[in-house]
Amino acid sequence: MALLKVKFSQKKRVKLAQGLWLMNWFSVFAGILVFSMGLFLKIELRKRSEVMDNSESHLVPNSLILMGILSCAFNGFAGKICYDSLDPAKFAKWKPLLRPYLALCFLFNILIFFVALICFLMRGSLENTLAQGLKNGMKFYRDTDTPGRCFMKKTIDMLQIEFKCCGNNGFKDWFEIQWISNRYLDFSSKEVKDRIKSNVDGRYLVDGVPFSCCNPSSPRPCIQYQVTNNSAHYSYDYQTEELNLWRRGCREALLHYYSSMMSSMGAVVLLVWLFEMSVMAGLRLLHTSLESIPNPEDPECESEGWILENSLKDTLKSALESLKKLGKFNQVEAEGEGAEGEEGGKTPAITTVS
């Protein structure tokens, strides 16, 4: 029994073709939207590529760009088919291509669905990328005189100001690295010498943070040095002074920014996928309704259209049987080649007469 069998008159077929033509052009605009989202996300990721450890995060925007291009191409082609289906003479040239085209559309829709899932599932990979990238970026913060790294201080400062964050996981991350360049340290000072000697790696570590960690909403001037030393400042307790520095780490801030963006894009791609599935189903109905016309010379007669020629269960069963037959055929072919090789390897016996 066919799945979703529908009877079509000439008028219904024309309306279906016209509706599908319009839907395909809407799908072209949806493809442009998906392409634009991928391009926007790629630009946003490139803006902060210095604090990202690898290029895995670009999988999502690259996939969106590719799906957008393919969507425009597939739906533009389908729109042409639907337009030509109004004229039986023009439609005749598309008949041999429709079946393989619908198979390609099915694969394309599977890809769109997986791209939508990737948008939702990339959070873990993005988190690791940001954690390692920010850690490396903070190490290079002081290298303002090193070629290739001189921009890192500005990048980190602008990042912390824009996203209202401090450090990787929090402001205490700055206590574990030397973020002040040796160029601005007075090595004749006893305090500097003692701090460097007290560290195994010979680094100048302080319980301080860069100015970009300061919260401008704080009612008092920002305390960015001796942050954890309550006695160094009047009426100060660093554990209760929440407005002094940004408490949120930049990894969390960036992760929230990008993951919310990707989730929104994933929701849009899912809607596009549902729309594409409905277009593909409509195109299948149009294809079968035109093929099943009993008298091609009388285009006004009624015909039947369906999504699947048999039920879903029977279709899956026949597909599995086809795969099994294909596997057996390959196995027999391989055995035949092996037998031929054995026969070729045998040497004929030679008898001598004395």
Side-chain angles (χ1 to χ4, degrees):
M1 184 179 177
L3 179 67
L4 200 65
K5 185 182 281 189
V6 183
K7 280 192 175 183
F8 286 93
S9 62
Q10 169 68 5
K11 190 177 179 181
K12 283 185 178 180
R13 286 195 296 267
V14 169
K15 283 186 177 179
L16 178 61
Q18 289 173 339
L20 284 172
W21 178 82
L22 189 61
M23 288 176 73
N24 274 295
W25 283 110
F26 276 125
S27 295
V28 169
F29 290 120
I32 294 171
L33 175 63
V34 172
F35 175 84
S36 302
M37 288 192 306
L39 195 62
F40 174 76
L41 181 58
K42 194 170 185 69
I43 292 169
E44 285 296 303
L45 289 170
R46 283 203 175 275
K47 279 182 183 177
R48 296 168 188 94
S49 59
E50 295 88 358
V51 293
M52 293 185 178
D53 187 46
N54 55 45
S55 58
E56 283 180 17
S57 54
H58 288 274
L59 174 64
V60 173
N62 290 341
S63 300
L64 289 172
I65 289 169
L66 178 62
M67 288 300 105
I69 293 170
L70 288 177
S71 179
C72 291
F74 272 90
N75 289 293
F77 184 69
K80 174 65 175 170
I81 292 173
C82 294
Y83 182 79
D84 286 349
S85 65
L86 298 171
D87 184 353
K90 289 183 179 178
F91 180 72
K93 66 181 179 181
W94 298 116
K95 267 190 175 182
L97 298 174
L98 269 175
R99 196 176 291 274
Y101 174 74
L102 285 167
L104 286 174
C105 282
F106 182 72
L107 293 174
F108 171 66
N109 283 310
I110 291 174
L111 287 175
I112 289 181
F113 182 74
F114 277 113
V115 169
L117 286 182
I118 288 170
C119 290
F120 293 110
L121 299 175
M122 277 297 289
R123 181 183 174 91
S125 176
L126 185 63
E127 185 173 9
N128 295 332
T129 296
L130 286 169
Q132 192 59 41
L134 283 165
K135 185 178 179 182
N136 294 334
M138 288 170 65
K139 286 179 182 177
F140 303 143
Y141 182 88
R142 64 174 181 164
D143 296 341
T144 51
D145 298 325
T146 306
R149 298 177 185 171
C150 54
F151 60 87
M152 191 56 73
K153 178 184 180 299
K154 180 182 176 182
T155 300
I156 297 291
D157 283 334
M158 294 302 295
L159 179 69
Q160 294 188 145
I161 291 169
E162 182 182 352
F163 286 91
K164 298 179 180 180
C165 59
C166 184
N168 191 343
N169 299 304
F171 67 90
K172 288 186 178 180
D173 292 338
W174 289 106
F175 301 173
E176 301 171 4
I177 61 170
Q178 181 181 336
W179 55 272
I180 302 173
S181 174
N182 289 337
R183 180 181 181 182
Y184 304 106
L185 294 177
D186 182 9
F187 286 95
S188 62
S189 168
K190 185 179 183 300
E191 181 191 352
V192 173
K193 287 180 180 178
D194 289 345
R195 281 190 178 276
I196 292 174
K197 285 179 181 178
S198 64
N199 185 265
V200 177
D201 298 326
R203 294 178 297 170
Y204 181 75
L205 304 182
V206 293
D207 58 340
V209 296
F211 78 96
S212 53
C213 284
C214 294
N215 184 350
S217 301
S218 176
R220 69 186 296 163
C222 182
I223 295 172
Q224 63 180 109
Y225 293 104
Q226 295 186 324
V227 174
T228 56
N229 187 358
N230 293 334
S231 61
H233 313 283
Y234 178 72
S235 183
Y236 174 74
D237 183 359
Y238 84 95
Q239 291 182 330
T240 59
E241 292 279 344
E242 292 184 1
L243 288 176
N244 181 50
L245 303 173
W246 302 120
R247 296 282 169 164
R248 186 169 65 160
C250 289
R251 178 187 56 81
E252 182 188 345
L254 283 172
L255 183 64
H256 175 73
Y257 175 71
Y258 285 120
S259 59
S260 61
M261 188 187 296
M262 287 182 184
S263 296
S264 301
M265 291 179 178
V268 172
V269 175
L270 271 180
L271 290 174
V272 172
W273 173 73
L274 289 172
F275 194 74
E276 291 282 357
M277 288 293 289
S278 63
V279 171
M280 186 182 71
L283 192 60
R284 173 63 175 168
L285 284 172
L286 180 64
H287 168 225
T288 51
S289 66
L290 287 169
E291 276 199 337
S292 63
I293 293 176
N295 184 10
E297 294 179 1
D298 182 18
E300 293 186 3
C301 63
E302 286 190 350
S303 63
E304 289 184 339
W306 55 82
I307 300 295
L308 294 175
E309 195 169 356
N310 300 311
S311 64
L312 184 62
K313 184 180 178 181
D314 292 338
T315 304
L316 290 173
K317 189 177 179 181
S318 62
L320 287 171
E321 285 176 358
S322 299
L323 289 172
K324 285 179 182 178
K325 285 179 182 177
L326 184 63
K328 286 179 181 178
F329 176 75
N330 290 334
Q331 187 178 357
V332 169
E333 197 175 48
E335 286 176 358
E337 288 177 359
E340 285 179 7
E342 286 177 6
E343 287 177 4
K346 290 180 181 178
T347 55
I350 300 172
T351 58
T352 57
V353 179
S354 56

